[in-house]
Amino acid sequence: MAGAGGGSNDVQWCFSQVKGAIDDDVAEADIISTVEFNHSGELLATGDKGGRVVIFQQEIENKSQPQCRSEYNVYSTFQSHEPEFDYLKSLEIEEKINEIRWLPQKNAAQFLLSTNDKTIKLWKISERDKRPEGYNLKEEDGRYIDPNTVTALRVPVFRPMDLMVEASPRRVFANAHTYHINSISINSDHETYLSADDLRINLWHQEITDRSFNIVDIKPANMEELTEVITAAEFHPHQCNTFVYSSSKGTIRLCDMRASALCDTHSKLFEEPEDPSNRSFFSEIISSISDVKFSHNGRYMMTRDYLSVKIWDLNMENRPVETYQVHEYLRSKLCSLYENDCIFDKFECCWNGNDRLTLPSSQIVFIKITSPRFCISLF
């Protein structure tokens, strides 16, 4: 974890907690592939390449002051996805968790969506600290009683028990994507969500698992004419009809689902003209956008490409309002990065809780922030 401090114009980060062992000898399955805070910041979910989801809970430091919280400890661990095999395409489907998204909390239980390359699952995370006792037709060990032997009726009661956190699958959304899923995003109506792969974006209802609606399809009739792919997609935080998706060409398209059922025609196109002086063999690769995030107020959006983070105003399409060079020192090393495939690494980005700070990920350390005070660093 890290804390923010210093003056009014600077932010200083320092480690206050590291989860897991900092060791070079790490099993492939244990490598963390995604992290996500819930809306309150109390819970932190991590997914790894082994298909597991580990949830951390922030402990209350002083019970008389619930707002004073300390470090995160393991709350629940469960296997979200298993490796599968597509026999029609002779293709192995990895269990690696690509993304996790928390649903807004509506009752005592928490719900989250997790996805690998092909299948999205809805999980319910609930607590149980009481168990029923005193059944009339069942013994305490679970064996059933012959009704003819019952001579008196008992009123079942609940007895305290050790706290148990249960993770149970509620829905499985499968068989809707031909290509690998790279994004899922919860809609502000809290009923639908989208999932995106390289060429299509689908709209799902959380209660319906056997069908989805295709809202974007950029697959050409002839695959040899394919010039770009979808890299990320995100719903607007307040307008349930609006979403954006980014492409490998460095463009961001904003779409309005009220305009048509199939949003192949965008409402706005955000693209910055390329500087001819920076044109090189690697220009198309490093301009590919790997992540896009709306600000909490919905006025701005942030995009992440290989070397920079850009802030866009939704009312200005021709150029970003801010550009932050994150990896400019790598521009002279692009040839070496291309040879070892590091130039194809994908990075995420996020806003802090009040939209005043942005935080990109990098090749050195991956950082995710949910408030001005807390983040997690994963090596």
Side-chain angles (χ1 to χ4, degrees), residues 145-204:
I145 301 173
D146 184 358
N148 296 321
T149 63
V150 176
T151 58
L153 292 178
R154 294 183 295 176
V155 178
V157 295
F158 281 96
R159 302 291 186 191
M161 60 176 284
D162 292 338
L163 179 66
M164 183 169 59
V165 181
E166 297 177 321
S168 54
R170 309 300 290 180
R171 307 274 190 280
V172 177
F173 307 89
N175 305 321
H177 285 277
T178 306
Y179 307 97
H180 291 177
I181 298 172
N182 55 48
S183 300
I184 52 177
S185 178
I186 309 296
N187 200 348
S188 59
D189 62 10
H190 301 169
E191 293 184 351
T192 57
Y193 72 92
L194 64 77
S195 58
D197 63 26
D198 292 342
L199 298 178
R200 296 186 179 97
I201 299 177
N202 293 334
L203 180 68
W204 298 83

Side-chain angles (χ1 to χ4, degrees), residues 103-118:
L103 275 64
Q105 187 174 7
K106 298 179 180 178
N107 50 41
Q110 298 274 358
F111 291 85
L112 62 81
L113 287 171
S114 62
T115 182
N116 65 351
D117 287 340
K118 298 291 183 180

Side-chain angles (χ1 to χ4, degrees), residues 228-338:
E228 63 179 333
V229 295
I230 298 169
T231 55
E234 176 94 351
F235 263 123
H236 192 279
H238 307 300
Q239 300 171 10
C240 62
N241 55 283
T242 304
F243 69 94
V244 297
Y245 67 93
S246 57
S247 82
S248 57
K249 280 192 169 182
T251 61
I252 311 103
R253 293 172 172 85
L254 185 142
C255 301
D256 189 340
M257 292 190 292
R258 297 173 300 182
S260 63
L262 190 62
C263 300
D264 286 347
T265 303
H266 50 268
S267 301
K268 290 187 176 183
L269 176 65
F270 299 86
E271 184 176 16
E272 183 180 22
E274 184 181 8
D275 185 356
S277 63
N278 290 330
R279 180 71 184 173
S280 70
F281 171 78
F282 307 105
S283 294
E284 188 171 334
I285 301 175
I286 63 176
S287 65
S288 175
I289 295 174
S290 58
D291 196 18
V292 57
K293 291 288 193 305
F294 278 106
S295 60
H296 295 83
N297 60 18
R299 172 68 186 275
Y300 304 96
M301 63 181 176
M302 172 170 44
T303 61
R304 178 74 162 95
D305 57 39
Y306 193 75
L307 298 180
S308 64
V309 170
K310 297 175 182 177
I311 309 298
W312 299 81
D313 189 324
L314 294 189
N315 297 324
M316 188 168 66
E317 304 172 46
N318 59 339
R319 60 185 176 86
V321 294
E322 293 284 351
T323 300
Y324 303 100
Q325 300 298 335
V326 181
H327 286 158
E328 187 62 24
Y329 60 91
L330 293 178
R331 191 176 292 276
S332 60
K333 303 177 176 63
L334 293 178
C335 187
S336 299
L337 294 169
Y338 180 78

Side-chain angles (χ1 to χ4, degrees), residues 49 68 89 115 131 222-223 265 277 318 360:
K49 290 188 174 182
C68 298
K89 299 179 180 178
T115 182
R131 68 173 183 269
N222 183 0
M223 285 296 285
T265 303
S277 63
N318 59 339

